[in-house]
Amino acid sequence: AQSVAQPEDQVNVAEGNPLTVKCTYSVSGNPYLFWYVQYPNRGLQFLLKYITGDNLVKGSYGFEAEFNKSQTSFHLKKPSALVSDSALYFCAVRDIRDNFNKFYFGSGTKLNVKP
Amino acid sequence: IAGITQAPTSQILAAGRRMTLRCTQDMRHNAMYWYRQDLGLGLRLIHYSNTAGTTGKGEVPDGYSVSRANTDDFPLTLASAVPSQTSVYFCASSLRGGHEQFFGPGTRLTVL
């Protein structure tokens, strides 16, 4: 069974500090991994993805994520948080062997960046 | 149209009524999806379609049906709405393969 876990419901960080939002996954084969951000009353927006290649993936708005196969993790990071980064973040996974394009989302992590 | 549109934006519906949520994309994406978002549960896949003419069941398909008569449109129908279907519904689309999904703005549905 495929699944995604985001162990933290909420992450609080001060502006200018580094941030990490955690994600672990479970798939039968190799994964496609994604991060999305959701601002209030909006749909999800794509941030970055890992398909293959370099384990460190860079995305929009200065975010990056590191794929760690041994720990089955794909944590989202940013060196210096901004107040405007405050939002709901979702990790998603798809098994590359899945012919049905089905994605599985985590329950979301609310990021609060305080001035 | 640019991207994905959903209609209506919000709706209050009496239990037992039939309701169709509309979704249209103009990106010529092959795959389309319907999710519901509930507090603490994240997004759960209701139904999906890999290409026009085909559909499949997601995690929570009961009480919902979909059709994919063409590439652009992917309506979601609640045949007889129940209060547990109160949620925010998102439509999304993607190219085949390991491509990211593009999401619509959502429909907030309340079933009383």
Side-chain angles (χ1 to χ4, degrees):
Chain A
Q2 303 180 49
S3 66
V4 174
Q6 293 181 242
E8 303 155 317
D9 291 335
Q10 185 168 298
V11 170
N12 298 310
V13 64
E15 187 175 32
N17 284 0
L19 69 87
T20 298
V21 182
K22 296 179 180 177
C23 171
T24 58
Y25 66 90
S26 174
V27 297
S28 302
N30 291 321
Y32 290 152
L33 291 157
F34 302 82
W35 275 102
Y36 292 83
V37 60
Q38 185 181 32
Y39 297 100
N41 300 312
R42 302 288 295 275
L44 278 68
Q45 298 176 31
F46 169 74
L47 275 180
L48 52 79
K49 65 181 177 182
Y50 172 82
I51 303 298
T52 187
D54 194 348
N55 289 342
L56 184 63
V57 178
K58 294 187 183 298
S60 306
Y61 312 119
F63 284 94
E64 58 188 28
E66 186 168 11
F67 171 62
N68 187 317
K69 188 172 183 177
S70 63
Q71 297 185 5
T72 62
S73 67
F74 190 57
H75 301 332
L76 181 70
K77 300 181 180 182
K78 187 173 183 181
S80 179
L82 299 173
V83 172
S84 58
D85 292 331
S86 298
L88 191 56
Y89 290 82
F90 290 95
C91 182
V93 67
R94 181 201 153 195
D95 189 328
I96 64 172
R97 302 179 309 172
D98 180 1
N99 293 324
F100 300 105
N101 285 319
K102 290 168 67 174
F103 293 75
Y104 294 86
F105 284 80
S107 56
T109 298
K110 185 177 181 182
L111 174 65
N112 296 311
V113 181
K114 299 181 179 180
Chain B
I1 297 178
I4 297 183
T5 59
Q6 292 184 237
T9 302
S10 64
Q11 182 76 44
I12 299 174
L13 189 67
R17 298 296 296 269
R18 180 183 179 91
M19 176 74 191
T20 295
L21 308 185
R22 299 185 297 279
C23 175
T24 299
Q25 54 105 357
D26 65 354
M27 297 175 285
R28 308 303 295 173
H29 284 170
N30 289 308
M32 296 187 74
Y33 314 81
W34 273 105
Y35 294 91
R36 59 178 289 173
Q37 184 178 24
D38 302 290
L39 191 63
L41 297 175
L43 273 73
R44 293 182 292 170
L45 182 65
I46 305 171
H47 285 287
Y48 65 94
S49 168
N50 277 339
T51 188
T54 69
T55 62
K57 295 181 178 180
E59 299 173 75
V60 288
D62 294 343
Y64 306 94
S65 63
V66 292
S67 62
R68 187 88 184 275
N70 56 61
T71 297
D72 298 344
D73 301 301
F74 191 44
L76 176 74
T77 297
L78 289 67
S80 179
V82 296
S84 61
Q85 292 178 310
T86 294
S87 186
V88 181
Y89 291 85
F90 288 101
C91 181
S93 70
S94 71
L95 292 170
R96 297 289 304 269
H99 293 273
E100 63 271 24
Q101 296 183 343
F102 292 81
F103 284 79
T107 294
R108 184 174 296 275
L109 182 67
T110 302
V111 183
L112 301 176

